[in-house]
Amino acid sequence: MILVTGGAGFIGSNFVLDWLACSDEPVLNLDKLTYAGNLANLANLQGDARHVFVQGDIGDAALLARLLAEHRPRAVLNFAAESHVDRSIHGAEDFIQTNIVGTFRLLESVRAHWLTLPADERAAFRFLHVSTDEVYGSLAPGAPAFTEDHVYEPNSPYSASKAASDHLVRAWHHTHGLPVLTTNCSNNYGPYHFPEKLIPLMIVNALAGRPLPIYGDGQQVRDWLYVKDHCSAIRRVLQAGVVGQTYNVGGWNEKTNLEIVHTICDLLDAMRPRADGASYRAQITHVPDRPGHDRRYAIDARKIERELGWKPAETFDTGIRQTVRWYLDHPEWVQAVQSGAYRDWVAAQYG
Ligand code: NAD
Ligand code: TYD
């Protein structure tokens, strides 16, 4: 089996669902169930013996030791993290604890277990660390996209904590020989995306008649990848990636935030027109910019294509249509995640 951490979050739950749709190899899913973790994402796996869920922290060494000894996974895939830049600006403590200290404890637990394995299992074992393009910092307009050799220049508490975790993973390979792989992916979107991030927030706010808050001038650029394409890239890296290497994963879809919001409004105008006949674009409002806001991210995904033959299956057009459709078709999921804690965040961030 494989051990997935953070498998109740946005990308982790998509990964677990896709994994079990493609293979019968069981998944041990370790997730702390923070505000971002949601077992409803995995409701389709209820009663499926291939999925074993454990609520717990990647920083809990005793729990990890027990789980690793009991289940003997052939690979550990680390999705668990605090992941929201805006939250990291309000308070970075949880980011330091989970992304840095937690990754360190996980690496140590996995290393101790790996050392007990027979030689053939030790050689086949993999630790795959899921990271972000944000570790590379911000690109000037027209500058070449991030390659795997780009210098690390993280600018937010979130990206700094992810950069630190990437460095720990690298060091555990170089110093201790742990067979690691790292992926650095661009912004994901798709089903089960918590509605505090740009795309789901805009869909949910539009439908609720609320303002669509654009930070600053809305000309910041992100490189968007449909989440299921990220999942297929991770499966491919796990299968064929070279130990110690990092792979950038991206969709070749650079868009400004304003373009994204216009696209969402136009799709909703067609799929669920407003009762008054006006466009959802009328709800767009400009709000003060995020402090230290990175201007542009862009991923050069040629290495993973050249060396591992991976390419995204979706274009932005097909992916965003499916995403908007998914949110329209799952109002009960949206309603359930908009708990008291969610409302507290929205009140703190947007007033
Ligand atoms: P998310 O915030 O939706 O989910 C994170 C999950 O980790 C949650 O289920 C949460 O309960 C769990 N978790 C948090 N702290 C934990 C801990 N200490 N122990 C165990 N579980 C814990 O995040 P996501 O968007 O799904 O991102 C998953 C990973 O992918 C993260 O490492 C993130 O940095 C990376 N990533 C995200 C994106 C993106 O666009 N969302 C892009 C590139 C990389
Ligand atoms: P986000 O989804 O938080 O991802 P990240 O900051 O990790 O790239 O934000 C994506 C972009 O959208 C980013 O440039 C910030 C911007 N944004 C807004 O303009 N308004 C919002 O309400 C949110 C949440 C984000």
Side-chain angles (χ1 to χ4, degrees):
M1 66 153 46
I2 60 168
L3 167 56
V4 166
T5 73
F10 162 48
I11 303 173
S13 61
N14 275 285
F15 180 85
V16 170
L17 292 168
D18 279 10
W19 178 270
L20 292 174
C22 300
S23 125
D24 277 333
E25 185 174 9
V27 176
L28 174 61
N29 184 350
L30 173 67
D31 195 296
K32 189 176 174 181
L33 296 182
T34 68
Y35 77 95
N38 185 359
L39 282 179
N41 301 3
L42 301 160
N44 288 346
L45 296 176
Q46 232 163 23
D48 189 329
R50 300 172 305 162
H51 179 237
V52 180
F53 182 81
V54 176
Q55 183 173 6
D57 193 317
I58 56 167
D60 183 342
L63 173 64
L64 254 303
R66 182 170 68 68
L67 292 175
L68 290 165
E70 195 179 318
H71 296 278
R72 297 177 65 85
R74 69 170 175 97
V76 174
L77 286 77
N78 185 30
F79 294 82
E82 288 293 333
S83 70
H84 189 190
V85 174
D86 291 318
R87 283 183 187 256
S88 80
I89 295 168
H90 283 256
E93 178 73 30
D94 289 346
F95 290 75
I96 306 304
Q97 283 308 328
T98 285
N99 300 0
I100 306 179
V101 180
T103 302
F104 155 68
R105 295 249 168 79
L106 179 65
L107 282 164
E108 277 296 75
S109 302
V110 171
R111 183 169 77 94
H113 166 72
W114 173 71
L115 285 170
T116 68
L117 298 175
D120 55 338
E121 286 180 39
R122 200 159 60 223
F125 189 87
R126 296 290 181 269
F127 181 95
L128 191 154
H129 180 61
V130 179
S131 193
T132 165
D133 60 358
E134 303 192 25
V135 297
Y136 298 124
S138 188
L139 283 172
F146 302 128
T147 65
E148 288 77 2
D149 298 324
H150 199 281
V151 64
Y152 270 40
E153 286 178 332
N155 292 318
S156 72
Y158 163 65
S159 57
S161 68
K162 289 296 290 186
S165 70
D166 293 8
H167 291 322
L168 292 173
V169 170
R170 175 187 162 91
W172 260 242
H173 172 63
H174 280 265
T175 302
H176 298 299
L178 192 69
V180 307
L181 299 157
T182 298
T183 54
N184 292 89
C185 189
S186 61
N187 283 60
N188 285 215
Y189 67 99
Y192 305 115
H193 204 180
F194 195 69
E196 64 180 10
K197 305 280 177 76
L198 179 73
I199 287 181
L201 181 86
M202 294 298 162
I203 299 172
V204 166
N205 276 14
L207 292 171
R210 288 193 290 263
L212 307 180
I214 305 269
Y215 298 162
D217 63 6
Q219 294 306 313
Q220 303 82 5
V221 172
R222 298 292 184 264
D223 179 355
W224 293 93
L225 182 70
Y226 191 60
V227 64
K228 287 175 189 305
D229 280 325
H230 188 189
C231 295
S232 74
I234 291 170
R235 289 200 303 275
R236 184 66 190 139
V237 171
L238 179 65
Q239 182 185 45
V242 175
V243 164
Q245 293 285 306
T246 68
Y247 297 91
N248 283 356
V249 184
W252 304 102
N253 285 311
E254 284 187 60
K255 308 269 180 213
T256 65
N257 293 338
L258 213 47
E259 280 179 87
I260 295 289
V261 177
H262 284 160
T263 302
I264 290 168
C265 290
D266 297 350
L267 285 169
L268 286 173
D269 287 342
M271 293 181 186
R272 181 72 55 86
R274 269 175 41 156
D276 64 2
S279 169
Y280 287 97
R281 289 190 186 207
Q283 290 167 233
I284 292 175
T285 49
H286 287 264
V287 300
D289 208 351
R290 170 189 280 174
H293 198 170
D294 283 340
R295 201 68 187 160
R296 174 176 169 236
Y297 305 137
I299 278 281
D300 181 333
R302 282 178 296 180
K303 176 178 172 182
I304 187 171
E305 180 175 354
R306 187 177 61 243
E307 297 186 7
L308 304 182
W310 175 87
K311 269 205 291 203
E314 303 292 343
T315 62
F316 185 72
D317 188 48
T318 60
I320 193 70
R321 267 172 202 285
Q322 291 178 65
T323 303
V324 171
R325 187 77 261 160
W326 189 87
Y327 280 86
L328 287 173
D329 290 346
H330 293 83
E332 71 301 332
W333 183 89
V334 172
Q335 210 177 359
V337 295
Q338 291 178 312
S339 65
Y342 177 78
R343 283 197 296 275
D344 292 348
W345 163 254
V346 170
Q349 174 70 358
Y350 301 101

